[in-house]
Amino acid sequence: PEHLKLALVSNNVVLQGTPKQLPSTVPAAILIQGEVISYIFTLQDTPLCKLKEECFDYYWEDLGDAFVSPGIIDLNVNFSHGMQIEGE
């Protein structure tokens, strides 16, 4: 739903690496509005208690040590049986 406000907190949020460097993980909170990531706060820079005060209208989900990679698309795609592949 468009009005859903969700905050996911994890100790292992995968942030972008470089071609010569593996991605690193940091404790962070990912704020999601509807189906869009609106902001990512690293908990090294912003204390969690302050975020929860300022974002009181979000539903907070603590994922503990789970690895979270924001922006990854679900690649488990299912096609309906009526679809035709070009050339068939």
Side-chain angles (χ1 to χ4, degrees):
E2 293 178 22
H3 60 278
L4 176 68
K5 288 186 170 185
L6 176 65
L8 301 176
V9 180
S10 173
N11 292 321
N12 292 301
V13 175
V14 180
L15 297 180
Q16 183 177 359
T18 64
K20 295 180 182 179
Q21 178 184 22
L22 291 174
S24 60
T25 63
V26 296
I30 304 164
L31 301 185
I32 303 167
Q33 291 185 4
E35 296 181 358
V36 177
I37 296 172
S38 57
Y39 206 86
I40 299 173
F41 290 94
T42 61
L43 299 180
Q44 298 162 333
D45 299 330
T46 309
L48 184 58
C49 58
K50 182 175 172 85
L51 277 178
K52 285 186 174 184
E53 279 180 19
E54 292 179 9
C55 302
F56 63 89
D57 55 342
Y58 281 75
Y59 172 77
W60 289 82
E61 181 73 30
D62 186 349
L63 302 175
D65 290 330
F67 285 82
V68 179
S69 186
I72 293 293
I73 299 170
D74 182 5
L75 298 177
N76 183 16
V77 177
N78 296 306
F79 296 103
S80 71
H81 295 286
M83 292 185 65
Q84 293 284 328
I85 296 175
E86 194 174 327
E88 281 191 358

